[in-house]
Amino acid sequence: MYDFDYHKPSSVADAVKLLSADPDARAISGGQTLLPALKHRLNRPTYLVDLSGIAELKGVKREGDKVTVGALTRHIEVQNSPEVKSAIPALAHMAAVIGDIQVRNRGTIGGSVANNDPAADYPSAVLGLGATVVTDKRRIAADDFFQGMFTTALEPGELLTAIEFPIPEKAGYAKMRNPASRYVMVGVFVAKTKGGVRVVVNGAGPGVFRQTEMEQALSANWSPDAVAGIKQASEGLNSDIHGSAEYRAHLVTVMAKRAVADAG
Amino acid sequence: MNVVAPFEGIGASVRRKEDLRFLSGRGQYTDDIARPGQAHAYILRSPHAHARILKVDTAAARAMPGVVAVYTGEDTKGLGGIPCGWQLHNKDGSPMAEPRHPVLAEGKARHVGDPVAVVVAETRAQAKDAAEAIEVEYEVLPAVPTLREALAPGAAQLHDAAPGNLCYDWHIGDKAVTDAAFAQAHKVVRFETTNNRLVPNAMEPRAAIGDYDPTTGEHTLWTTSQNPHVIRLLMGAFVLNIPESRLRVVAPDVGGGFGSKIYHYAEEAIVTWAASKLHRPVKWTADRSEAFISDAHGRDHVTTCELALDETGKFLGLRVDTLANMGAYLSTFAPCVPTYLYATLLSGVYAMPTIYAEVKAVFTSTVAVDAYRGAGRPEATYLLERLVDVAAAETGMDRVEIRRRNFIPTDAFPYQTPVALQYDSGDYFSTLDAALETAGWADFEARRAEAAKQGKLRGIGISTYVEACGIAPSAVVGSLGARAGLYEVGTIRVHPTGSVTVLTGAHSHGQGHETTFAQLVADRLGVPLSQVDVVHGDTAKVPFGMGTYGSRSLAVGGSAMVKAMDKVVDKAKKIAAHLLEASVQDIEFERGTFRVAGTDRTKALAEVSLAAYVPHNYPIEELEPGLEETAFYDPKNFTYPGGCHICEVEIERDTGKAQVVNFTAVDDVGRVINPMIVEGQVQGGVAQGIGQALMEEAVYDEAGQLLSGSMMDYSMPRAEDLPMVGVANHVTLCTHNPLGVKGCGEVGAIGSPPAVMNAVVDALREFGVRHVEMPATPAKIWNIINAGAQRMAAE
Ligand SMILES: Cc1cc2nc3c(=O)[nH]c(=O)nc-3n(C[C@H](O)[C@H](O)[C@H](O)COP(=O)(O)OP(=O)(O)OC[C@H]3O[C@@H](n4cnc5c(N)ncnc54)[C@H](O)[C@@H]3O)c2cc1C
């Protein structure tokens, strides 16, 4: 780790001020991604802005037909939240299968979504539920937010403050873990929402993406069988020592079936 | 009175004495030690697998804050090379190629992670900062990371002293007799396989602290070692030229080794040497990423083999041709692992009339490969047990029947194999029968059918194995190329009031020696376990020792303690005879009490020991005061644990993921001192075996970069991947050591991989699968299922 300075503001306004003052400053939430990167000297921030003292970023609220999750809400809190469990059980279930207990006790939804690791869980739920990403300046539709591997619509210094999830009619999630890292090898999130059926694939490609063929099939017939015959093209999918693009493409169908079954 | 409760002696599952310290965070590991004034070393390692080092510019680094010194190969080239402890000979009798292994790279880097420079600074972070300022100019050369690439004609040469990257071309057995057996064969079964390369990944990364006292000239090295005396010998005599009397090596609590902490590593020499130059303690601790590219790896064989059978399924002979990866330099035991710890085991549990094995050891541009839990014996067992399954499939014989038919008969011990070893005892039929019974082999088909209903492919696999451990008779290993003796040393110190301190050259780094060894004393001397302490891991405290590896600690180290206790009892009997005014011939000793035979006149051990240290009433004319004895024990033979492992796996058809759902291990480890500890050792070994079979693999790309260089990409088994492992023992005693013990540290890792893989192949039978290579990852299994399904659809 290189030396850095450390700030712990107690309001979003102060945090944003600090982050915009220096392009090499970095926000830190749970540190479950940033700290390993710092330890490997892959990052050299001038100072860290620790968001953990900002009360307005924490907690889960259910209002009308949506659930709002503050950026600083930890995975364990989403997993155990009565609001999330009753309104969007698939999201609570997803939080419960992120990493291990230590990671869930530290990691936050804001950090995960801002980071947009292709092997992360949350981005598929955010896109799959057609959520809205709220920042200190604006509201960004999930469809516009994720822009490929580790890239999002967030501008430098922009702070993710909350995510608003519309409550779906039903939703489900299934994933195959990477045998080494236990991050997502291939995951599929399915949801029947007001705006239609959404099927989102994570892990398999360089970023989350919607599987439109499966969306159409499920719109016509919401059942695992509806997606069983749909093959994901392997072009553009990840290929590494853990599995070829073809294997990942195959798993998309398998996980889609399981996700639909999970959604009920 | 020192009356021992019987449950503390041999056969009692007493709780581990050391666990209070470990579980309450009070272990003292090397990295926990802070010496006054200590500086920190950081090692700059080659990012290239093979490169000429044109220039190393350290000027900027030297000027960085906190930097104490920067050293390169130029500074250390006067030191000796890291020695190899075993010299093999080629088929033609010439010695193996043994190129210099410099402490810091000299002119060339030969694997990613090869140490190129070392920075010593006030803090670790400063050392790391300065290392980034070192400018190294490399001329990158072609890498040769795999066996086949390194042996290919025209391949890049790693060492001038090893033409063709060949370390040795060795053989064992009788070629002519074996060829003749094959000529008579009714059937020959051929098989080719790779034994996957593994990263040991002990929980504690390696660390070392060097210290030097200029007033006495004494050097001290604290290090994460399984054998501090061996390190003292190798580093003192060969690398730094320090006499033993001036070099103390301490291996304090060590968090797992699995073989990887046997070897003398460059970092140990670097910190010891730098401390003596700087007159300051110098500490180095590896991080996990560094461990991946600097700890010796394990396995990495490519083998073709052939088994000759007669019409009844009896084995007639075995031919084996193995390529073994040594990595870029020879690590301490590397040459003997794929030869004397591998090829000598190729008879397995079978009456194999003749064997001929050839082994070529090859230098590659990878980190060194050496012994890893099992060392050679897992490779032999895997080869043989997969081959026997393939033979069963191809002759239409039952997998159990073909084994039974070829087992060494129980009345044939001692049994001489055609590959040097003589097994002293064993009963393979009984371990097989017990395992079949426990595992429910007979009603497996019902479980297979049940799994099929859930869309799962269930398979069962068996492995029957023997291994050789308790290394080893010094004269024998000496004739085979070992450059050291392999005896062990034990001291029994009975204190004046009767408590006991045991000094042992074996080292405990997770095995529970502090308990098991204390139980030996409790059992023999009748001293309560709470009054027996075991000291190990410090050359200044323990007279000598060869350390812990090859499941030798109890068989060899325990035997040394028994010998020392015999000496103690002999002397104590004389003292007791004097105190009891009886003749020594009439003194009996049992569980802490000396008795005049046939009378009620007794003396407790504590009374005798008190007399020995306060010799007011003492046979001072004949006996020295004190009650402490040391014994060196040189084993007469290897020991031969064996047994039967049975594994059941379930494979998810649509993902290819295999899960071990049942595992039964019935082992013959000889006499069991602490059943709970033995069970733990077997379970841990099986976990590693399942890891090798289904998950673990060190993968290098063509440029020699380690793709699986962190836990993000190297798949280690976790609790959820492991079943409850059922462990049972069927004991036949070792015939040549005083305890009758054989060793239990490695059996789990040796017996289990073929059991798992035989189960995987069995589960995939319907796809026409003959063999699946380790690790059987989900992707690999799915490819097999997918290809099989497509082939079947086409037919
Ligand atoms: C062992 C391990 C296993 C894991 N397994 C999984 C897994 O299975 N699935 C999974 O999805 N994840 C996994 N993770 C990652 C974990 O979920 C992280 O918590 C998450 O990816 C990042 O969240 P964080 O709060 O820790 O963010 P940090 O590490 O604190 O930050 C990550 C990045 O986001 C930025 N950032 C943080 N908060 C904000 C914000 N509010 N606005 C803008 N930018 C912000 C930071 O500047 C940084 O660049 C694992 C991590 C570990 C260590």
Side-chain angles (χ1 to χ4, degrees), chain A residues 26-34 51 75 98-99 103 107-108 111-112 114 120-121 158-160 182-183:
Chain A
R26 286 294 285 273
I28 184 163
S29 289
Q32 296 303 289
T33 294
L34 189 53
L51 306 181
H75 306 335
I98 296 175
V103 169
T108 69
S112 177
D121 288 281
E158 188 171 5
L159 208 61
L160 196 162
R182 315 287 163 124
Y183 274 69

PDB file of all heavy atoms in Angstrom, chain A residues 26-34 51 75 98-99 103 107-108 111-112 114 120-121 158-160 182-183, ligand 1:
ATOM      1  N   ARG A  26     -10.109   9.073  -3.681  1.00  0.00           N
ATOM      2  CA  ARG A  26     -11.010   7.938  -3.916  1.00  0.00           C
ATOM      3  C   ARG A  26     -11.952   7.793  -2.740  1.00  0.00           C
ATOM      4  O   ARG A  26     -11.564   7.953  -1.587  1.00  0.00           O
ATOM      5  CB  ARG A  26     -10.224   6.626  -4.031  1.00  0.00           C
ATOM      6  CG  ARG A  26      -9.464   6.472  -5.332  1.00  0.00           C
ATOM      7  CD  ARG A  26     -10.403   6.346  -6.528  1.00  0.00           C
ATOM      8  NE  ARG A  26     -11.032   5.052  -6.621  1.00  0.00           N
ATOM      9  CZ  ARG A  26     -10.482   4.004  -7.248  1.00  0.00           C
ATOM     10  NH1 ARG A  26      -9.302   4.116  -7.825  1.00  0.00           N
ATOM     11  NH2 ARG A  26     -11.113   2.853  -7.298  1.00  0.00           N
ATOM     12  N   ALA A  27     -13.223   7.446  -3.083  1.00  0.00           N
ATOM     13  CA  ALA A  27     -14.175   7.100  -2.037  1.00  0.00           C
ATOM     14  C   ALA A  27     -13.904   5.684  -1.570  1.00  0.00           C
ATOM     15  O   ALA A  27     -13.470   4.845  -2.345  1.00  0.00           O
ATOM     16  CB  ALA A  27     -15.593   7.198  -2.588  1.00  0.00           C
ATOM     17  N   ILE A  28     -14.122   5.443  -0.293  1.00  0.00           N
ATOM     18  CA  ILE A  28     -14.067   4.063   0.201  1.00  0.00           C
ATOM     19  C   ILE A  28     -15.306   3.782   1.027  1.00  0.00           C
ATOM     20  O   ILE A  28     -15.691   4.562   1.896  1.00  0.00           O
ATOM     21  CB  ILE A  28     -12.766   3.781   0.995  1.00  0.00           C
ATOM     22  CG1 ILE A  28     -12.723   2.303   1.401  1.00  0.00           C
ATOM     23  CG2 ILE A  28     -12.608   4.693   2.225  1.00  0.00           C
ATOM     24  CD1 ILE A  28     -11.351   1.811   1.804  1.00  0.00           C
ATOM     25  N   SER A  29     -15.947   2.654   0.706  1.00  0.00           N
ATOM     26  CA  SER A  29     -17.141   2.253   1.477  1.00  0.00           C
ATOM     27  C   SER A  29     -16.784   1.052   2.327  1.00  0.00           C
ATOM     28  O   SER A  29     -16.262   1.197   3.412  1.00  0.00           O
ATOM     29  CB  SER A  29     -18.298   1.969   0.524  1.00  0.00           C
ATOM     30  OG  SER A  29     -18.760   3.182  -0.035  1.00  0.00           O
ATOM     31  N   GLY A  30     -17.016  -0.160   1.815  1.00  0.00           N
ATOM     32  CA  GLY A  30     -16.669  -1.354   2.604  1.00  0.00           C
ATOM     33  C   GLY A  30     -15.204  -1.738   2.482  1.00  0.00           C
ATOM     34  O   GLY A  30     -14.680  -2.507   3.278  1.00  0.00           O
ATOM     35  N   GLY A  31     -14.563  -1.239   1.437  1.00  0.00           N
ATOM     36  CA  GLY A  31     -13.147  -1.527   1.232  1.00  0.00           C
ATOM     37  C   GLY A  31     -12.844  -2.934   0.755  1.00  0.00           C
ATOM     38  O   GLY A  31     -11.686  -3.309   0.620  1.00  0.00           O
ATOM     39  N   GLN A  32     -13.879  -3.705   0.456  1.00  0.00           N
ATOM     40  CA  GLN A  32     -13.635  -5.111   0.103  1.00  0.00           C
ATOM     41  C   GLN A  32     -13.054  -5.276  -1.303  1.00  0.00           C
ATOM     42  O   GLN A  32     -12.471  -6.302  -1.627  1.00  0.00           O
ATOM     43  CB  GLN A  32     -14.929  -5.927   0.231  1.00  0.00           C
ATOM     44  CG  GLN A  32     -15.425  -5.990   1.649  1.00  0.00           C
ATOM     45  CD  GLN A  32     -14.370  -6.576   2.577  1.00  0.00           C
ATOM     46  OE1 GLN A  32     -14.087  -7.765   2.534  1.00  0.00           O
ATOM     47  NE2 GLN A  32     -13.759  -5.752   3.402  1.00  0.00           N
ATOM     48  N   THR A  33     -13.181  -4.258  -2.093  1.00  0.00           N
ATOM     49  CA  THR A  33     -12.537  -4.254  -3.401  1.00  0.00           C
ATOM     50  C   THR A  33     -11.339  -3.317  -3.380  1.00  0.00           C
ATOM     51  O   THR A  33     -10.252  -3.655  -3.856  1.00  0.00           O
ATOM     52  CB  THR A  33     -13.544  -3.798  -4.485  1.00  0.00           C
ATOM     53  OG1 THR A  33     -14.549  -4.799  -4.575  1.00  0.00           O
ATOM     54  CG2 THR A  33     -12.878  -3.612  -5.828  1.00  0.00           C
ATOM     55  N   LEU A  34     -11.540  -2.151  -2.792  1.00  0.00           N
ATOM     56  CA  LEU A  34     -10.481  -1.139  -2.839  1.00  0.00           C
ATOM     57  C   LEU A  34      -9.254  -1.541  -2.004  1.00  0.00           C
ATOM     58  O   LEU A  34      -8.119  -1.352  -2.427  1.00  0.00           O
ATOM     59  CB  LEU A  34     -11.043   0.212  -2.378  1.00  0.00           C
ATOM     60  CG  LEU A  34     -10.128   1.424  -2.569  1.00  0.00           C
ATOM     61  CD1 LEU A  34      -9.641   1.531  -4.021  1.00  0.00           C
ATOM     62  CD2 LEU A  34     -10.838   2.713  -2.179  1.00  0.00           C
ATOM     63  N   LEU A  51     -16.707   6.881   3.436  1.00  0.00           N
ATOM     64  CA  LEU A  51     -18.128   7.253   3.454  1.00  0.00           C
ATOM     65  C   LEU A  51     -18.870   6.686   4.659  1.00  0.00           C
ATOM     66  O   LEU A  51     -20.051   6.980   4.864  1.00  0.00           O
ATOM     67  CB  LEU A  51     -18.805   6.758   2.166  1.00  0.00           C
ATOM     68  CG  LEU A  51     -18.147   7.184   0.841  1.00  0.00           C
ATOM     69  CD1 LEU A  51     -18.952   6.641  -0.342  1.00  0.00           C
ATOM     70  CD2 LEU A  51     -18.055   8.705   0.744  1.00  0.00           C
ATOM     71  N   HIS A  75     -24.049  -5.686   2.605  1.00  0.00           N
ATOM     72  CA  HIS A  75     -24.703  -6.867   2.024  1.00  0.00           C
ATOM     73  C   HIS A  75     -25.515  -7.604   3.079  1.00  0.00           C
ATOM     74  O   HIS A  75     -26.621  -8.056   2.828  1.00  0.00           O
ATOM     75  CB  HIS A  75     -23.668  -7.819   1.417  1.00  0.00           C
ATOM     76  CG  HIS A  75     -22.738  -7.176   0.418  1.00  0.00           C
ATOM     77  ND1 HIS A  75     -23.057  -6.055  -0.308  1.00  0.00           N
ATOM     78  CD2 HIS A  75     -21.481  -7.527   0.020  1.00  0.00           C
ATOM     79  CE1 HIS A  75     -22.039  -5.725  -1.097  1.00  0.00           C
ATOM     80  NE2 HIS A  75     -21.067  -6.614  -0.921  1.00  0.00           N
ATOM     81  N   ILE A  98     -23.451 -13.414  -1.693  1.00  0.00           N
ATOM     82  CA  ILE A  98     -22.253 -12.676  -2.094  1.00  0.00           C
ATOM     83  C   ILE A  98     -21.104 -13.088  -1.175  1.00  0.00           C
ATOM     84  O   ILE A  98     -21.246 -13.049   0.058  1.00  0.00           O
ATOM     85  CB  ILE A  98     -22.466 -11.157  -1.979  1.00  0.00           C
ATOM     86  CG1 ILE A  98     -23.552 -10.684  -2.948  1.00  0.00           C
ATOM     87  CG2 ILE A  98     -21.157 -10.398  -2.246  1.00  0.00           C
ATOM     88  CD1 ILE A  98     -23.908  -9.212  -2.818  1.00  0.00           C
ATOM     89  N   GLY A  99     -19.996 -13.457  -1.766  1.00  0.00           N
ATOM     90  CA  GLY A  99     -18.773 -13.719  -0.994  1.00  0.00           C
ATOM     91  C   GLY A  99     -19.018 -14.593   0.221  1.00  0.00           C
ATOM     92  O   GLY A  99     -19.784 -15.547   0.186  1.00  0.00           O
ATOM     93  N   VAL A 103     -17.065 -10.763   4.141  1.00  0.00           N
ATOM     94  CA  VAL A 103     -17.259  -9.815   3.032  1.00  0.00           C
ATOM     95  C   VAL A 103     -18.635  -9.162   3.141  1.00  0.00           C
ATOM     96  O   VAL A 103     -18.779  -7.952   2.972  1.00  0.00           O
ATOM     97  CB  VAL A 103     -17.098 -10.552   1.677  1.00  0.00           C
ATOM     98  CG1 VAL A 103     -17.559  -9.670   0.522  1.00  0.00           C
ATOM     99  CG2 VAL A 103     -15.657 -10.998   1.486  1.00  0.00           C
ATOM    100  N   GLY A 107     -18.847  -5.268   2.916  1.00  0.00           N
ATOM    101  CA  GLY A 107     -19.129  -4.753   1.572  1.00  0.00           C
ATOM    102  C   GLY A 107     -20.476  -4.051   1.491  1.00  0.00           C
ATOM    103  O   GLY A 107     -21.412  -4.390   2.211  1.00  0.00           O
ATOM    104  N   THR A 108     -20.558  -3.041   0.614  1.00  0.00           N
ATOM    105  CA  THR A 108     -21.787  -2.258   0.487  1.00  0.00           C
ATOM    106  C   THR A 108     -22.333  -2.336  -0.933  1.00  0.00           C
ATOM    107  O   THR A 108     -21.597  -2.586  -1.885  1.00  0.00           O
ATOM    108  CB  THR A 108     -21.533  -0.774   0.800  1.00  0.00           C
ATOM    109  OG1 THR A 108     -20.718  -0.226  -0.255  1.00  0.00           O
ATOM    110  CG2 THR A 108     -20.823  -0.590   2.138  1.00  0.00           C
ATOM    111  N   GLY A 111     -20.750   0.438  -3.171  1.00  0.00           N
ATOM    112  CA  GLY A 111     -19.406   0.096  -3.615  1.00  0.00           C
ATOM    113  C   GLY A 111     -19.431  -0.934  -4.725  1.00  0.00           C
ATOM    114  O   GLY A 111     -18.714  -0.823  -5.719  1.00  0.00           O
ATOM    115  N   SER A 112     -20.288  -1.924  -4.568  1.00  0.00           N
ATOM    116  CA  SER A 112     -20.354  -2.987  -5.567  1.00  0.00           C
ATOM    117  C   SER A 112     -20.867  -2.457  -6.905  1.00  0.00           C
ATOM    118  O   SER A 112     -20.309  -2.754  -7.956  1.00  0.00           O
ATOM    119  CB  SER A 112     -21.258  -4.114  -5.066  1.00  0.00           C
ATOM    120  OG  SER A 112     -21.385  -5.096  -6.052  1.00  0.00           O
ATOM    121  N   ALA A 114     -20.998   0.733  -7.960  1.00  0.00           N
ATOM    122  CA  ALA A 114     -20.073   1.732  -8.519  1.00  0.00           C
ATOM    123  C   ALA A 114     -18.868   1.048  -9.159  1.00  0.00           C
ATOM    124  O   ALA A 114     -18.322   1.513 -10.148  1.00  0.00           O
ATOM    125  CB  ALA A 114     -19.602   2.693  -7.425  1.00  0.00           C
ATOM    126  N   ALA A 120     -19.416  -9.496 -10.395  1.00  0.00           N
ATOM    127  CA  ALA A 120     -20.182  -9.141  -9.201  1.00  0.00           C
ATOM    128  C   ALA A 120     -21.637  -9.564  -9.357  1.00  0.00           C
ATOM    129  O   ALA A 120     -22.125  -9.781 -10.463  1.00  0.00           O
ATOM    130  CB  ALA A 120     -20.098  -7.645  -8.941  1.00  0.00           C
ATOM    131  N   ASP A 121     -22.321  -9.634  -8.220  1.00  0.00           N
ATOM    132  CA  ASP A 121     -23.724 -10.043  -8.220  1.00  0.00           C
ATOM    133  C   ASP A 121     -24.689  -8.893  -8.476  1.00  0.00           C
ATOM    134  O   ASP A 121     -25.536  -8.953  -9.363  1.00  0.00           O
ATOM    135  CB  ASP A 121     -24.067 -10.688  -6.870  1.00  0.00           C
ATOM    136  CG  ASP A 121     -23.439 -12.053  -6.711  1.00  0.00           C
ATOM    137  OD1 ASP A 121     -23.972 -13.015  -7.281  1.00  0.00           O
ATOM    138  OD2 ASP A 121     -22.389 -12.149  -6.033  1.00  0.00           O
ATOM    139  N   GLU A 158     -18.297  11.872  -8.709  1.00  0.00           N
ATOM    140  CA  GLU A 158     -19.740  11.711  -8.484  1.00  0.00           C
ATOM    141  C   GLU A 158     -19.982  10.575  -7.491  1.00  0.00           C
ATOM    142  O   GLU A 158     -19.339   9.525  -7.577  1.00  0.00           O
ATOM    143  CB  GLU A 158     -20.428  11.408  -9.824  1.00  0.00           C
ATOM    144  CG  GLU A 158     -21.938  11.407  -9.734  1.00  0.00           C
ATOM    145  CD  GLU A 158     -22.609  11.318 -11.115  1.00  0.00           C
ATOM    146  OE1 GLU A 158     -21.884  11.155 -12.121  1.00  0.00           O
ATOM    147  OE2 GLU A 158     -23.843  11.418 -11.155  1.00  0.00           O
ATOM    148  N   LEU A 159     -20.894  10.804  -6.581  1.00  0.00           N
ATOM    149  CA  LEU A 159     -21.122   9.839  -5.516  1.00  0.00           C
ATOM    150  C   LEU A 159     -22.443   9.105  -5.717  1.00  0.00           C
ATOM    151  O   LEU A 159     -23.485   9.732  -5.909  1.00  0.00           O
ATOM    152  CB  LEU A 159     -21.160  10.597  -4.186  1.00  0.00           C
ATOM    153  CG  LEU A 159     -20.743   9.819  -2.955  1.00  0.00           C
ATOM    154  CD1 LEU A 159     -19.309   9.343  -3.072  1.00  0.00           C
ATOM    155  CD2 LEU A 159     -20.916  10.711  -1.731  1.00  0.00           C
ATOM    156  N   LEU A 160     -22.396   7.799  -5.685  1.00  0.00           N
ATOM    157  CA  LEU A 160     -23.619   7.006  -5.726  1.00  0.00           C
ATOM    158  C   LEU A 160     -24.230   7.086  -4.329  1.00  0.00           C
ATOM    159  O   LEU A 160     -23.548   6.788  -3.341  1.00  0.00           O
ATOM    160  CB  LEU A 160     -23.248   5.574  -6.108  1.00  0.00           C
ATOM    161  CG  LEU A 160     -24.331   4.625  -6.576  1.00  0.00           C
ATOM    162  CD1 LEU A 160     -23.720   3.446  -7.306  1.00  0.00           C
ATOM    163  CD2 LEU A 160     -25.213   4.153  -5.459  1.00  0.00           C
ATOM    164  N   ARG A 182     -14.860 -17.705  -6.164  1.00  0.00           N
ATOM    165  CA  ARG A 182     -16.263 -17.837  -5.703  1.00  0.00           C
ATOM    166  C   ARG A 182     -17.093 -16.605  -6.067  1.00  0.00           C
ATOM    167  O   ARG A 182     -18.233 -16.469  -5.624  1.00  0.00           O
ATOM    168  CB  ARG A 182     -16.378 -18.146  -4.210  1.00  0.00           C
ATOM    169  CG  ARG A 182     -15.416 -19.222  -3.727  1.00  0.00           C
ATOM    170  CD  ARG A 182     -15.818 -20.615  -4.191  1.00  0.00           C
ATOM    171  NE  ARG A 182     -14.731 -21.562  -4.069  1.00  0.00           N
ATOM    172  CZ  ARG A 182     -14.796 -22.714  -3.387  1.00  0.00           C
ATOM    173  NH1 ARG A 182     -15.900 -23.072  -2.801  1.00  0.00           N
ATOM    174  NH2 ARG A 182     -13.750 -23.514  -3.340  1.00  0.00           N
ATOM    175  N   TYR A 183     -16.535 -15.703  -6.839  1.00  0.00           N
ATOM    176  CA  TYR A 183     -17.346 -14.665  -7.456  1.00  0.00           C
ATOM    177  C   TYR A 183     -18.224 -15.361  -8.511  1.00  0.00           C
ATOM    178  O   TYR A 183     -18.214 -16.580  -8.641  1.00  0.00           O
ATOM    179  CB  TYR A 183     -16.454 -13.634  -8.162  1.00  0.00           C
ATOM    180  CG  TYR A 183     -15.924 -12.515  -7.291  1.00  0.00           C
ATOM    181  CD1 TYR A 183     -14.979 -12.752  -6.300  1.00  0.00           C
ATOM    182  CD2 TYR A 183     -16.353 -11.202  -7.487  1.00  0.00           C
ATOM    183  CE1 TYR A 183     -14.471 -11.714  -5.527  1.00  0.00           C
ATOM    184  CE2 TYR A 183     -15.846 -10.161  -6.720  1.00  0.00           C
ATOM    185  CZ  TYR A 183     -14.912 -10.418  -5.741  1.00  0.00           C
ATOM    186  OH  TYR A 183     -14.407  -9.394  -4.983  1.00  0.00           O
TER     187      TYR A 183
HETATM  188  C1  LIG C   1     -13.080 -12.451  -0.600  1.00  0.00           C
HETATM  189  C2  LIG C   1     -14.081 -11.616  -1.348  1.00  0.00           C
HETATM  190  C3  LIG C   1     -15.102 -12.255  -2.008  1.00  0.00           C
HETATM  191  C4  LIG C   1     -16.034 -11.510  -2.695  1.00  0.00           C
HETATM  192  N1  LIG C   1     -17.032 -12.170  -3.350  1.00  0.00           N
HETATM  193  C5  LIG C   1     -17.957 -11.446  -4.023  1.00  0.00           C
HETATM  194  C6  LIG C   1     -19.034 -12.083  -4.703  1.00  0.00           C
HETATM  195  O1  LIG C   1     -19.193 -13.299  -4.667  1.00  0.00           O
HETATM  196  N2  LIG C   1     -19.902 -11.306  -5.380  1.00  0.00           N
HETATM  197  C7  LIG C   1     -19.774  -9.945  -5.412  1.00  0.00           C
HETATM  198  O2  LIG C   1     -20.590  -9.301  -6.025  1.00  0.00           O
HETATM  199  N3  LIG C   1     -18.785  -9.327  -4.781  1.00  0.00           N
HETATM  200  C8  LIG C   1     -17.881 -10.033  -4.077  1.00  0.00           C
HETATM  201  N4  LIG C   1     -16.889  -9.382  -3.422  1.00  0.00           N
HETATM  202  C9  LIG C   1     -16.809  -7.918  -3.521  1.00  0.00           C
HETATM  203  C10 LIG C   1     -17.654  -7.268  -2.413  1.00  0.00           C
HETATM  204  O3  LIG C   1     -19.007  -7.514  -2.622  1.00  0.00           O
HETATM  205  C11 LIG C   1     -17.374  -5.775  -2.343  1.00  0.00           C
HETATM  206  O4  LIG C   1     -17.931  -5.399  -1.173  1.00  0.00           O
HETATM  207  C12 LIG C   1     -17.943  -4.903  -3.424  1.00  0.00           C
HETATM  208  O5  LIG C   1     -17.576  -5.301  -4.693  1.00  0.00           O
HETATM  209  C13 LIG C   1     -17.443  -3.453  -3.242  1.00  0.00           C
HETATM  210  O6  LIG C   1     -18.094  -2.871  -2.181  1.00  0.00           O
HETATM  211  P1  LIG C   1     -17.326  -2.087  -1.060  1.00  0.00           P
HETATM  212  O7  LIG C   1     -18.323  -1.404  -0.253  1.00  0.00           O
HETATM  213  O8  LIG C   1     -16.420  -3.011  -0.364  1.00  0.00           O
HETATM  214  O9  LIG C   1     -16.521  -1.022  -1.930  1.00  0.00           O
HETATM  215  P2  LIG C   1     -15.024  -0.388  -1.855  1.00  0.00           P
HETATM  216  O10 LIG C   1     -14.081  -1.515  -1.898  1.00  0.00           O
HETATM  217  O11 LIG C   1     -14.988   0.464  -0.630  1.00  0.00           O
HETATM  218  O12 LIG C   1     -15.041   0.436  -3.107  1.00  0.00           O
HETATM  219  C14 LIG C   1     -15.056  -0.128  -4.392  1.00  0.00           C
HETATM  220  C15 LIG C   1     -14.977   0.962  -5.464  1.00  0.00           C
HETATM  221  O13 LIG C   1     -16.187   1.694  -5.500  1.00  0.00           O
HETATM  222  C16 LIG C   1     -15.944   3.077  -5.204  1.00  0.00           C
HETATM  223  N5  LIG C   1     -17.058   3.491  -4.363  1.00  0.00           N
HETATM  224  C17 LIG C   1     -17.384   2.964  -3.152  1.00  0.00           C
HETATM  225  N6  LIG C   1     -18.533   3.537  -2.719  1.00  0.00           N
HETATM  226  C18 LIG C   1     -18.901   4.429  -3.650  1.00  0.00           C
HETATM  227  C19 LIG C   1     -20.006   5.323  -3.774  1.00  0.00           C
HETATM  228  N7  LIG C   1     -20.964   5.380  -2.840  1.00  0.00           N
HETATM  229  N8  LIG C   1     -20.064   6.094  -4.877  1.00  0.00           N
HETATM  230  C20 LIG C   1     -19.128   6.044  -5.843  1.00  0.00           C
HETATM  231  N9  LIG C   1     -18.093   5.218  -5.783  1.00  0.00           N
HETATM  232  C21 LIG C   1     -17.974   4.417  -4.702  1.00  0.00           C
HETATM  233  C22 LIG C   1     -14.608   3.110  -4.536  1.00  0.00           C
HETATM  234  O14 LIG C   1     -13.969   4.351  -4.769  1.00  0.00           O
HETATM  235  C23 LIG C   1     -13.895   1.974  -5.209  1.00  0.00           C
HETATM  236  O15 LIG C   1     -13.399   2.375  -6.462  1.00  0.00           O
HETATM  237  C24 LIG C   1     -15.932 -10.090  -2.724  1.00  0.00           C
HETATM  238  C25 LIG C   1     -14.877  -9.455  -2.057  1.00  0.00           C
HETATM  239  C26 LIG C   1     -13.963 -10.199  -1.367  1.00  0.00           C
HETATM  240  C27 LIG C   1     -12.851  -9.510  -0.641  1.00  0.00           C
END
